[in-house]
Amino acid sequence: MGDQPHRSLADLAKVHGPLMSLKLGQLTTIVASSPAMAKEILQKHDQVLSNRHTILAAQVHDHHMFGFVWLPVQSKEWRNFRRVCNSYIFATQKLDSNQELRREKIEELLQSVRRNACEGKKAVDVGREAFKVSLNALSRTILSLDLADVEGLETAREFNEVTRGVMDVGGKPNLGDFYPVVAKLDLQGIQSIVKETVPYRPVGPVKPETGAWPERYRYNSLNFVPNGFCG
């Protein structure tokens, strides 16, 4: 596979065709390398092929049991998540009602850049500012609060570091994913890195009957939960 697996797979497809079955360790992987095959998979067989192999990095804090990304699409929890998203977060009416919020966050970004530029004390980190605004827009929509302070970047920086850390660790090939017999040995230390990168802190005792987050969702990595959501 080399250090550029996408090119290696493209070269293999030229020899073996647009649909290949690869044996990566003990893990069978199906590779589609043409628009026709992608359409066949994503449009006609999406329900059968939507589930994904759960990597060990996602199992460290039981994210594979409760995370929207990893849950089987046939499960009750996944359907509940989808219903919440479709009805309360990404519904057309909800997005339209939040249009003013997005405009407000963009205005905050422009004001921050303008203020920093006028002061001239240091260069404006546009990437961090944009990340802060995106984080606030999303968190205000879902949690009704700003995770990143308007005047400070500490929360945004921490969230950014955690997100990048998870992506870096999750994107690295883990020998234990391909050979489950050595998974518990954590030969590459990836599970240990996840434990250090993504803190596992309690959000406090909650009672499901009060309408707060149910008992099985009491813990998460960033020390907050959406208010008013029930499983």
Side-chain angles (χ1 to χ4, degrees):
M1 299 293 287
D3 58 356
Q4 294 184 321
H6 59 295
R7 293 191 175 184
S8 300
L9 293 175
D11 293 337
L12 285 174
K14 295 176 182 179
V15 178
H16 300 287
L19 190 65
M20 300 181 294
S21 175
L22 302 180
K23 197 72 173 181
L24 304 178
Q26 295 180 330
L27 185 65
T28 301
T29 304
I30 305 299
V31 181
S33 302
S34 72
M37 285 294 105
K39 182 177 181 180
E40 186 77 15
I41 291 174
L42 298 176
Q43 291 189 356
K44 297 183 179 180
H45 302 284
D46 56 318
Q47 286 293 326
V48 177
L49 300 172
S50 290
N51 293 329
R52 63 181 65 190
H53 172 71
T54 304
I55 61 176
L56 293 173
Q59 301 179 27
V60 172
H61 293 319
D62 292 336
H63 287 168
H64 66 297
M65 298 174 60
F66 308 116
F68 197 9
V69 175
W70 303 105
L71 285 171
V73 296
Q74 296 87 0
S75 66
K76 179 181 178 181
E77 289 81 4
W78 188 89
R79 291 196 298 268
N80 286 340
F81 273 127
R82 184 180 64 175
R83 183 163 55 249
V84 169
C85 290
N86 290 340
S87 301
Y88 300 104
I89 300 178
F90 301 121
T92 301
Q93 183 178 1
K94 184 68 174 178
L95 292 175
D96 290 342
S97 66
N98 289 332
Q99 189 175 40
E100 185 60 31
L101 168 63
R102 295 192 293 273
R103 185 178 292 109
E104 174 188 335
K105 295 306 173 186
I106 294 297
E107 182 60 30
E108 288 180 4
L109 171 62
L110 295 177
Q111 290 178 1
S112 178
V113 172
R114 190 181 301 116
R115 181 174 59 254
N116 290 331
C118 291
E119 293 177 355
K121 296 181 179 179
K122 59 181 179 179
V124 177
D125 191 335
V126 177
R128 292 184 65 185
E129 291 283 352
F131 182 86
K132 181 186 71 172
V133 170
S134 300
L135 175 60
N136 279 342
L138 185 62
S139 65
R140 179 72 72 85
T141 299
I142 299 177
L143 307 173
S144 299
L145 57 86
D146 288 339
L147 283 180
D149 297 332
V150 176
E151 300 296 333
L153 290 174
E154 184 61 27
T155 308
R157 182 193 60 77
E158 180 182 357
F159 193 90
N160 194 358
E161 289 180 354
V162 170
T163 302
R164 289 182 181 275
V166 170
M167 292 177 63
D168 289 342
V169 174
K172 291 180 179 179
N174 188 351
L175 192 62
D177 287 324
F178 303 106
Y179 296 95
V181 68
V182 299
K184 292 185 178 180
L185 300 178
D186 192 18
L187 297 176
Q188 296 166 257
I190 290 182
Q191 288 97 302
S192 299
I193 295 175
V194 173
K195 291 179 181 179
E196 296 175 1
T197 304
V198 184
Y200 192 55
R201 302 192 296 257
V203 298
V206 293
K207 296 181 179 180
E209 59 268 19
T210 63
W213 204 244
E215 184 72 15
R216 64 182 182 278
Y217 296 125
R218 281 182 56 188
Y219 298 88
N220 69 9
S221 59
L222 293 174
N223 211 22
F224 64 82
V225 293
N227 293 325
F229 281 80
C230 292

